[in-house]
Amino acid sequence: MISRFIIIVIGAFFSWNSPDPSYNYREEFGNDYTWAINWLQQNNSSIEKYASLFNIPSKELKAIVFPELVRYNTVYDAIEINTLKYLYVSEGKAYADFSVGYFQMKPSFAQMIEEDANAMLDSSILRISGLTKFKNNADYDLSRKARITRITNLEDQLIYLCAFYKICQVKFAKQRFTTNLDKLKFFATCYNAGYRRNYAKLVSLQAHNYFHTGKLWSNKHYNYADICAYYFLHES
């Protein structure tokens, strides 16, 4: 009886603490939502360029990173980049693995993309991405310094994002999605939760609300995939 009561209380907490998937996210995020929309419009030519090179629907790329743009904060990003440059370059990802840049990428994410792209993608994609030069890249201070430079550069972030998408296409090629929106939500979860997890775990995580905007005064958590889907359906 007690354990059942605890489960009910926990369920009620998460129900109260997390927005419904039918939320109006434009209204919910306000100025941050508008800023993210404007940023995507201003940088549309660069996004379209890389989406075309990698043969990926640009609408899906924009949707996958949209929540990160909503959360992006210029001041925090500058502080984290400076801290990361020092700690990560000198000590490695065990000591510093912050999310930085417009798409909030971590050094560990970039390193995984470098490794998995070379292991999983065909030669034509590798030539386009330029990631072949990072095959068997030793983990030392100079390579870490170069990686920090890449993940804080928009063009390189777009390359990592496109390579991530292609890796997911290969890794989950046997999975059948009912609609493109279902696939988008799954890929968005891969981006947010880590694509190296197995399919069943990612499907489970897709149902949970772990994403937060980073606002100190808010304890709300949102569903990352639902925000991506909202943008995809309403804005792109």
Side-chain angles (χ1 to χ4, degrees), residues 26-157:
R26 174 181 279 277
E27 183 177 300
E28 177 73 15
F29 296 136
N31 291 336
D32 293 330
Y33 188 103
T34 303
W35 185 92
I37 292 291
N38 290 339
W39 187 94
L40 286 170
Q41 291 173 347
Q42 292 164 9
N43 293 278
N44 187 60
S45 60
S46 294
I47 298 168
E48 293 288 347
K49 169 188 170 183
Y50 285 99
S52 178
L53 279 173
F54 284 83
N55 191 27
I56 297 171
S58 61
K59 289 174 61 174
E60 294 186 17
L61 290 180
K62 294 173 189 175
I64 287 170
V65 296
F66 182 74
E68 304 295 2
L69 290 167
V70 170
R71 180 164 59 179
Y72 180 78
N73 183 296
T74 306
V75 175
Y76 289 166
D77 192 51
I79 293 171
E80 288 182 339
I81 288 172
N82 286 330
T83 305
L84 181 62
K85 280 181 177 177
Y86 174 75
L87 289 177
Y88 175 71
V89 170
S90 61
E91 303 295 340
K93 64 185 178 184
Y95 291 85
D97 198 28
F98 302 155
S99 298
V100 297
Y102 293 111
F103 302 158
Q104 293 293 280
M105 292 179 175
K106 294 180 178 180
S108 60
F109 172 82
Q111 188 171 350
M112 281 192 296
I113 294 295
E114 293 163 11
E115 293 168 355
D116 294 343
N118 278 287
M120 300 168 66
L121 301 184
D122 62 46
S123 58
S124 61
I125 296 297
L126 287 174
R127 282 195 300 272
I128 292 170
S129 69
L131 293 173
T132 50
K133 58 176 154 309
F134 307 125
K135 186 177 183 180
N136 302 321
N137 201 13
D139 188 32
Y140 59 97
D141 55 354
L142 290 180
S143 68
R144 292 195 292 264
K145 185 176 181 180
R147 187 172 294 119
I148 290 295
T149 299
R150 290 194 294 277
I151 64 172
T152 54
N153 174 274
L154 177 57
E155 301 261 324
D156 286 316
Q157 281 190 33

Side-chain angles (χ1 to χ4, degrees), residues 11 13-23 25 185 189 192 203-212 219-227:
F13 170 78
F14 281 108
S15 174
W16 172 83
N17 196 46
S18 306
D20 188 89
S22 63
Y23 255 44
Y25 286 107
K185 292 178 72 172
T189 304
N192 180 241
V203 169
S204 172
L205 290 172
Q206 185 175 315
H208 293 282
N209 300 348
Y210 292 127
F211 181 75
H212 63 88
N219 65 349
K220 284 187 176 180
H221 286 73
Y222 304 89
N223 187 293
Y224 192 94
D226 284 344
I227 301 172

